Amino acid sequence: MERRVAREFRHKVNLLIDNEAEKDYLYDVLRMYHQSMNLPVLVGDLKLVINEPSRLPLFDAIRPLIPLKHQVEYDQLTPKRSRKLKEVRLDRLHPEGLGISVRGGVEFSCGLFISQLVKGGQADNVGLQVGDEIVRINGYSISSCTHEEVINLIRTKKIVSIKVRHVGMIPVKSSADEPLKWQYVDQFVSESGEGKGSVAGLASSGGRDNKEKKVFISLIGTKGMGCSISSGPTQKPGIFISNVKPGSLSAEVGLEVGDQIVEVNGVDFSNVDHKEAVRVLKSSRTLTISVVAGAGKELFMTEEERQREARLREQERQELMHQKRLALETNKIIKEQQEKERLRKLEISQKAAEEEERYRREIEQITAEEEKFKKEWEEDWRPKEPPKSLRTVTAEVHSAPRSKHKIDLEGVAHDQLETDDMDEAITKQDKQGFQKYLEDFDPYSMFTPEQIVGKDVRLLRIKKEGSLDLAVEGGIDSPIGKIVVSAIYEGGAADKHGGIVKGDEILAVNGKILIDSKLAEAQATLAKAWNMGGDWIDLVIAASPPKEYDDEVPTIPSSTVSPNTHRKVFEGSAPVYRQGYLLQL
């Protein structure tokens, strides 16, 4: 459950906040809260990063992370939002007016928000709140309306229907070139004083000092504006507001002493005299007045007011300097966080590139080894080019020994089979289902006539079952001059095959010719052929009668002894293959 809540919270943060530094700040704030459990500090810190209406859903996403004992207080401290629309009806001709002030409009890239309520007024009594966003007026959507167009829309009917939803934030923009900012309702200070409510809206494009603003006044049902105007001196010509009665309509819409009137209902006031200005102001019951706030304030100040204004300006200057320093420090922190994030991503990309390069090298090495293995395999198994003319080899054929005892050569001569019987024995399949000698083997496909002249060449295919148990000796550098079988041990694969006997010359193993090989090379070839993949091993031999072999190797005594005694004869000189490995006995 906790993992799911945390996962949903992180998803919401990634969706609503793009800046990585602000994300880190938000996570740090939550970590510090769980250490201190100070909820007011947490909410205050959260408002610094949840600083626009689009991020307000983060308050709901954070709530499940707050302990149950703090959740009620958390709901009280965080702004109340509502997705539901609320519709109210106000009487535009009410003696006390509508009782609201609004700010915003499409020209400020935001909606229209209620910025002030007259306590006890119409709007207050029907449940409207500061921070409500006005969505529809008299059934019309105002999402694409300017501030002035909204005011004109309100004037179209006596009973004004307003639909709102509560957001809890108010747009703030002190000058046209500054970005739009937002303040929470409990942090917002209205620019207009309390008084009798009327249809009055602030569409400010500036701040306090010498900034132009436009106000809308309806004199229907009122006794007058409640202000006085004066002409400026020669060095500062123009029409200025010289006096504002407290609680009057002028005070309600935010007009102040020292404001310069620049336009009324489309009439330029920059070059009119006092009399003409009064006439224009009294010519209509609805006025759209453009003023420059505080442009002539110094003309109507007392000495005490001037000193107070100077102090206020100094305080504002100090506050601005403080905010500037904070902004510089914040910007520095954000840049450091962004640089750390950039370096982290760079490190990740470098590691990924290194890993990819390592993987590429490994693949190349594996490919090279496969090519090498394939080449060696082809060298061992690729058949030789067939000779231009084929010849048939005829040689005496003898039977394989039936026992591992030393066989008396004279007894063998007496018991020798007839030629036809031997041919039948050669082609007869044994109980394991293979032939002792392959009939279609052509020795000239592997050897030159000089290499096999006078030899009875045969191809044996021995099944790999258990160990080979075959001993060899000799070699090109030995007195024998060839690789010969010195022993066949009972129970081994060679013995079970029955097609190879002591004294046979081994000419080739799995296609590799051993005629000119040394003993060590022959042993390595046999070991490799027996241990590599496959179920069979192919041996090309030149069959030799035991008598001929005894004549060639007089150093090895012959006797009719048991297999164990026969094994000892070659002890120390003959290699034996056991369990697929070449063992030196």
Side-chain angles (χ1 to χ4, degrees):
M1 179 66 179
E2 293 180 356
R3 290 184 178 179
R4 184 178 64 82
V5 171
R7 184 168 61 251
E8 291 177 354
F9 169 66
R10 287 188 176 273
H11 173 72
K12 186 74 72 174
V13 170
N14 293 331
L15 186 66
L16 299 178
I17 301 179
D18 295 329
N19 189 290
E20 294 296 329
E22 290 182 318
K23 292 180 184 178
D24 293 339
Y25 172 79
L26 179 60
Y27 297 142
D28 290 340
V29 165
L30 290 172
R31 279 193 289 267
M32 287 188 292
Y33 161 70
H34 283 285
Q35 293 174 359
S36 65
M37 303 303 287
N38 191 327
L39 194 61
V41 172
L42 169 67
V43 175
D45 291 339
L46 290 177
K47 287 181 177 180
L48 294 177
V49 67
I50 306 176
N51 52 14
E52 56 185 57
S54 64
R55 295 183 179 182
L56 287 174
L58 285 174
F59 281 116
D60 296 335
I62 292 172
R63 190 179 187 277
L65 305 177
I66 304 299
L68 289 175
K69 63 180 181 181
H70 285 176
Q71 287 189 0
V72 174
E73 184 182 0
Y74 178 82
D75 293 338
Q76 295 172 350
L77 294 174
T78 54
K80 309 296 183 296
R81 297 188 309 113
S82 175
R83 297 179 181 177
K84 296 182 179 180
L85 294 180
K86 178 180 181 179
E87 184 175 6
V88 300
R89 295 180 182 276
L90 303 176
D91 184 1
R92 185 172 62 83
L93 301 181
H94 192 279
E96 295 182 352
L98 300 180
I100 60 173
S101 295
V102 296
R103 60 170 50 220
V106 70
E107 66 267 40
F108 299 102
S109 303
C110 65
L112 200 72
F113 290 79
I114 297 176
S115 58
Q116 186 185 9
L117 288 174
V118 176
K119 189 174 182 180
Q122 276 195 89
D124 187 28
N125 291 336
V126 297
L128 294 181
Q129 305 177 63
V130 176
D132 284 351
E133 180 183 8
I134 300 176
V135 179
R136 304 180 80 87
I137 295 178
N138 295 334
Y140 295 98
S141 173
I142 63 169
S143 59
S144 59
C145 295
T146 64
H147 191 99
E148 187 172 359
E149 289 171 342
V150 172
I151 301 302
N152 292 333
L153 186 60
I154 292 176
R155 296 194 187 116
T156 59
K157 289 188 178 182
K158 178 180 180 297
I159 302 299
V160 183
S161 172
I162 301 177
K163 280 189 176 181
V164 301
R165 64 164 165 251
H166 188 67
V167 176
M169 301 185 79
I170 298 173
V172 178
K173 191 172 185 179
S174 56
S175 63
D177 55 347
E178 286 188 5
L180 179 67
K181 297 180 181 178
W182 296 84
Q183 288 185 354
Y184 288 94
V185 171
D186 57 351
Q187 299 172 340
F188 178 72
V189 179
S190 175
E191 294 183 1
S192 58
E194 289 189 9
K196 296 180 180 180
S198 70
V199 180
L202 175 63
S204 174
S205 61
R208 291 183 55 187
D209 298 331
N210 298 331
K211 302 299 182 182
E212 185 175 338
K213 64 182 179 180
K214 185 181 292 185
V215 296
F216 309 93
I217 299 177
S218 175
L219 299 176
I220 299 173
T222 64
K223 296 179 181 180
M225 292 180 59
C227 68
S228 302
I229 60 173
S230 300
S231 298
T234 305
Q235 68 274 16
K236 198 175 183 65
I239 303 299
F240 299 89
I241 296 176
S242 57
N243 183 41
V244 178
K245 293 180 181 180
S248 65
L249 199 57
S250 296
E252 183 182 328
V253 298
L255 295 179
E256 298 179 354
V257 174
D259 289 352
Q260 181 181 3
I261 301 175
V262 295
E263 186 181 280
V264 176
N265 289 348
V267 179
D268 187 7
F269 267 42
S270 59
N271 294 315
V272 300
D273 56 17
H274 183 271
K275 184 177 180 180
E276 178 66 15
V278 173
R279 186 191 69 78
V280 173
L281 287 170
K282 292 183 177 181
S283 63
S284 176
R285 304 301 291 169
T286 58
L287 300 173
T288 301
I289 304 174
S290 297
V291 299
V292 177
K297 192 173 183 178
E298 69 278 1
L299 299 176
F300 308 98
M301 281 183 179
T302 63
E303 184 62 30
E304 183 180 353
E305 289 175 337
R306 288 191 179 93
Q307 291 178 359
R308 185 169 62 252
E309 182 68 17
R311 288 195 298 270
L312 289 175
R313 289 187 177 181
E314 179 62 21
Q315 289 177 1
E316 288 182 355
R317 191 185 69 82
Q318 293 293 340
E319 179 64 21
L320 288 173
M321 292 299 295
H322 177 66
Q323 291 180 359
K324 185 176 181 180
R325 285 193 295 270
L326 287 178
L328 290 174
E329 292 176 1
T330 302
N331 189 46
K332 181 180 178 182
I333 293 173
I334 291 175
K335 286 185 177 180
E336 289 177 353
Q337 292 287 347
Q338 291 175 343
E339 179 64 18
K340 288 181 180 179
E341 181 67 13
R342 187 187 68 82
L343 294 176
R344 186 181 69 85
K345 291 181 178 179
L346 180 62
E347 183 180 358
I348 291 174
S349 62
Q350 289 177 348
K351 288 183 178 179
E354 291 174 359
E355 185 68 17
E356 185 177 353
E357 177 64 20
R358 185 185 66 81
Y359 176 76
R360 186 188 63 79
R361 289 197 300 266
E362 289 181 355
I363 292 297
E364 289 180 352
Q365 183 179 356
I366 292 172
T367 303
E369 290 178 354
E370 289 179 348
E371 290 294 331
K372 181 180 177 182
F373 179 79
K374 182 178 179 181
K375 184 177 179 181
E376 292 179 352
W377 178 271
E378 290 179 349
E379 289 178 354
D380 290 345
W381 287 87
R382 185 174 53 194
K384 300 293 188 286
E385 293 184 1
K388 294 181 180 180
S389 60
L390 300 178
R391 296 174 57 188
T392 304
V393 177
T394 58
E396 183 181 359
V397 179
H398 63 86
S399 60
R402 290 182 299 274
S403 151
K404 292 297 161 281
H405 295 277
K406 186 67 178 180
I407 301 172
D408 183 80
L409 296 183
E410 293 181 0
V412 172
H414 289 296
D415 298 331
Q416 187 174 5
L417 300 175
E418 297 294 333
T419 303
D420 293 339
D421 295 336
M422 285 301 300
D423 290 340
E424 181 181 355
I426 292 172
T427 58
K428 183 179 179 181
Q429 293 187 357
D430 63 11
K431 63 182 177 180
Q432 281 127 337
F434 55 76
Q435 295 178 339
K436 293 184 179 180
Y437 308 114
L438 301 186
E439 296 179 345
D440 58 350
F441 171 63
D442 180 13
Y444 290 100
S445 63
M446 294 182 63
F447 307 99
T448 63
E450 292 78 11
Q451 291 177 325
I452 60 175
V453 62
K455 296 181 179 180
D456 180 6
V457 181
R458 306 178 187 181
L459 173 61
L460 286 67
R461 180 156 293 172
I462 302 176
K463 189 173 182 61
K464 293 182 179 179
E465 292 180 344
S467 58
L468 183 59
D469 275 356
L470 178 145
V472 296
E473 69 174 14
I476 189 66
D477 55 347
S478 69
I480 301 174
K482 55 187 176 181
I483 302 297
V484 295
V485 177
S486 58
I488 301 293
Y489 298 114
E490 184 174 3
D495 176 47
K496 291 178 181 179
H497 183 273
I500 185 170
V501 297
K502 173 183 174 183
D504 287 347
E505 178 186 358
I506 298 179
L507 300 178
V509 178
N510 280 358
K512 185 173 180 62
I513 298 174
L514 303 180
I515 292 178
D516 297 326
S517 300
K518 296 180 180 179
L519 179 61
E521 295 173 356
Q523 293 171 346
T525 301
L526 275 168
K528 180 178 178 182
W530 188 258
N531 293 327
M532 68 190 304
D535 296 331
W536 304 84
I537 181 173
D538 290 346
L539 298 181
V540 180
I541 65 170
S544 179
K547 183 178 180 180
E548 295 180 6
Y549 174 71
D550 289 343
D551 293 342
E552 293 180 1
V553 192
T555 57
I556 301 176
S558 61
S559 61
T560 54
V561 295
S562 66
N564 292 334
T565 307
H566 191 72
R567 184 189 299 269
K568 294 180 181 180
V569 172
F570 302 99
E571 190 170 307
S573 62
V576 177
Y577 294 87
R578 288 286 185 187
Q579 303 297 330
Y581 293 94
L582 183 63
L583 305 179
Q584 187 72 33
L585 298 180

